[in-house]
Amino acid sequence: MNGRAAGEQVTIADVARHAGVAASTVSYVLSGKRAISADTRTRVLASVRTLGYHPNAGARALASRKANVIALVLPLRTGMQVPVVMRFATAVVTTARGYDHDVLLVTADEGPAGLHRIAGSALVDGVLLMDVELEDSRVPLLRELALPGVLIGHPADSTGLACVDLDFRRAGELCVEHLAGAGHRRIALLGAPAAVYDRGTGFAHRTRRGVVAAADRLGVEAVTRPCEEGPAAVRRDLAALLAEHPDVTGLVVQNEAAVGPVLSTLPLLGRRVPQDVSVVAVCPDELAEPSGLTCVPVPAEEVGRQAVTLLMRRLRDEPVPEVTLLEPRLTVRDTSAGTGR
């Protein structure tokens, strides 16, 4: 209980007294105009939550010329795994609220025109871009706009940008290193749908490059094949892969929707897991753990948090790195084993 009469509005002064700081410090924490120490910021935000303080959005925007809203541009395209991308979106929303920002979710696939429309609306202070392509048509405009932005993913040329992602090339290398270390000499990548590769989506191409590069370096054979959506398509593509390459004993999967069908289809094709075929995936750990799947987890929550943090730093005109890559790690479970098992 904060001791105020029912219906009486909590003010910045109340928050300041409760947190033991100056009212200006509360204002700086909420607006992001100045860098505030992590301890002070945590104490102020705790007082905001305890007292139930809700700043007046209209007055705040007029005073600061800020909307306290960021846009998350998440075009819903063919081949995207919506449950996975929504993990990123949830992390963005949750982290943004910690900075007293709301999130405008933009799902239309409008390319540069959509980005220009957002920038001209004065509705948002900054923008996060997802589903980034190697030659993304939105990037040249983002460099020209005064609107601060951060990319979740990174294009071929990241000069002058702020990008954050898992190091997917290294993730592909880790999968091959694990399988090759267990004695597998013929490895296959069952990847994203063809549409994802066709539009040049960065994470898919980087993983494939990592698989091929590691295989060349370690002297093992590697083949790569797209995998379409839906259980029937997965069964068809997996059967075709093994018919063309029956000596494959190590399988890397980078297609979240394919993980379940792959594990259920291999025994139907006469391949036991892991005795005949070891399976490793690049996917969220929440998907891999229940089935005992060896995987390189995709840390959607951490990437989303870091993207918002970088954007808040840009809003304060603080320097940020052009590319932030999270180091992947391999979690070994029951679906991978040596060739002698």
Side-chain angles (χ1 to χ4, degrees), residues 2-158:
N2 58 37
R4 299 185 67 86
E8 190 174 350
Q9 187 171 351
V10 178
T11 68
I12 279 184
D14 297 322
V15 175
R17 281 192 295 271
H18 189 274
V21 298
S24 59
T25 300
V26 176
S27 179
Y28 292 143
V29 168
L30 297 178
S31 68
K33 284 183 177 180
R34 290 189 183 179
I36 300 296
S37 73
D39 288 345
T40 300
R41 182 176 171 276
T42 299
R43 192 163 73 250
V44 169
L45 293 178
S47 294
V48 166
R49 289 190 294 268
T50 299
L51 299 180
Y53 174 65
H54 299 286
N56 181 287
R60 179 183 58 199
L62 286 173
S64 65
R65 295 187 179 180
K66 291 178 62 177
N68 278 58
V69 177
I70 59 174
L72 175 60
V73 181
L74 174 56
L76 297 181
R77 299 165 169 166
T78 302
M80 293 183 70
Q81 302 298 323
V82 174
V84 176
V85 298
M86 289 311 296
R87 286 190 174 99
F88 287 94
T90 300
V92 166
V93 170
T94 302
T95 307
R97 288 309 307 148
Y99 287 98
D100 196 40
H101 276 66
D102 291 312
V103 177
L104 173 66
L105 182 61
V106 181
T107 58
D109 188 4
E110 301 175 279
L115 186 56
H116 200 281
R117 175 177 59 81
I118 293 167
S121 69
L123 291 174
V124 302
D125 302 321
V127 60
L128 300 175
L129 300 184
M130 286 193 66
D131 201 40
V132 176
E133 300 165 7
L134 293 175
E135 304 296 335
D136 201 300
S137 61
R138 300 169 296 181
V139 165
L141 179 59
L142 185 62
R143 287 193 178 103
E144 297 172 5
L145 293 172
L147 186 69
V150 172
L151 284 71
I152 297 178
H154 59 110
D157 180 8
S158 58

Side-chain angles (χ1 to χ4, degrees), residues 14-337:
D14 297 322
V15 175
R17 281 192 295 271
H18 189 274
V21 298
S24 59
T25 300
V26 176
S27 179
Y28 292 143
V29 168
L30 297 178
S31 68
K33 284 183 177 180
R34 290 189 183 179
I36 300 296
S37 73
D39 288 345
T40 300
R41 182 176 171 276
T42 299
R43 192 163 73 250
V44 169
L45 293 178
S47 294
V48 166
R49 289 190 294 268
T50 299
L51 299 180
Y53 174 65
H54 299 286
N56 181 287
R60 179 183 58 199
L62 286 173
S64 65
R65 295 187 179 180
K66 291 178 62 177
N68 278 58
V69 177
I70 59 174
L72 175 60
V73 181
L74 174 56
L76 297 181
R77 299 165 169 166
T78 302
M80 293 183 70
Q81 302 298 323
V82 174
V84 176
V85 298
M86 289 311 296
R87 286 190 174 99
F88 287 94
T90 300
V92 166
V93 170
T94 302
T95 307
R97 288 309 307 148
Y99 287 98
D100 196 40
H101 276 66
D102 291 312
V103 177
L104 173 66
L105 182 61
V106 181
T107 58
D109 188 4
E110 301 175 279
L115 186 56
H116 200 281
R117 175 177 59 81
I118 293 167
S121 69
L123 291 174
V124 302
D125 302 321
V127 60
L128 300 175
L129 300 184
M130 286 193 66
D131 201 40
V132 176
E133 300 165 7
L134 293 175
E135 304 296 335
D136 201 300
S137 61
R138 300 169 296 181
V139 165
L141 179 59
L142 185 62
R143 287 193 178 103
E144 297 172 5
L145 293 172
L147 186 69
V150 172
L151 284 71
I152 297 178
H154 59 110
D157 180 8
S158 58
T159 305
L161 303 173
C163 313
V164 60
D165 207 358
L166 177 70
D167 188 342
F168 278 100
R169 180 185 174 100
R170 181 63 190 139
E173 292 176 346
L174 275 178
C175 293
V176 174
E177 289 169 2
H178 171 66
L179 292 171
H184 297 275
R185 311 312 300 166
R186 294 171 180 82
I187 295 168
L189 168 66
L190 197 63
V196 175
Y197 293 101
D198 290 345
R199 64 174 176 260
T201 304
F203 76 85
H205 281 274
R206 287 192 165 89
T207 304
R208 186 165 65 181
R209 290 172 185 172
V211 166
V212 172
D216 289 345
R217 171 166 49 86
L218 297 170
V220 302
E221 296 180 22
V223 297
T224 66
R225 183 187 183 98
C227 182
E228 300 307 314
E229 299 179 277
V234 175
R235 289 192 291 268
R236 180 196 66 219
D237 290 339
L238 180 58
L241 169 67
L242 293 178
E244 294 170 16
H245 305 280
D247 52 357
V248 164
T249 62
L251 185 60
V252 180
V253 180
Q254 189 184 30
N255 184 328
E256 292 84 357
V259 167
V262 163
L263 293 176
S264 63
T265 299
L266 282 170
L268 300 178
L269 298 174
R271 308 294 182 100
R272 298 168 299 167
V273 179
Q275 293 90 335
D276 302 316
V277 176
S278 286
V279 181
V280 181
V282 180
C283 69
D285 204 42
E286 296 88 345
L287 178 63
E289 186 176 16
S291 55
L293 178 64
T294 296
C295 79
V296 175
V298 176
E301 291 78 9
E302 179 61 22
V303 171
R305 284 194 294 269
Q306 292 226 21
V308 174
T309 300
L310 288 169
L311 183 55
M312 293 301 142
R313 289 175 59 186
R314 297 204 83 180
L315 291 176
R316 296 192 295 265
D317 294 323
E318 297 176 7
V320 299
E322 289 184 351
V323 177
T324 300
L325 292 180
L326 304 187
E327 183 69 24
R329 58 179 176 81
L330 180 77
T331 300
V332 179
R333 295 194 177 97
D334 300 333
T335 60
S336 61

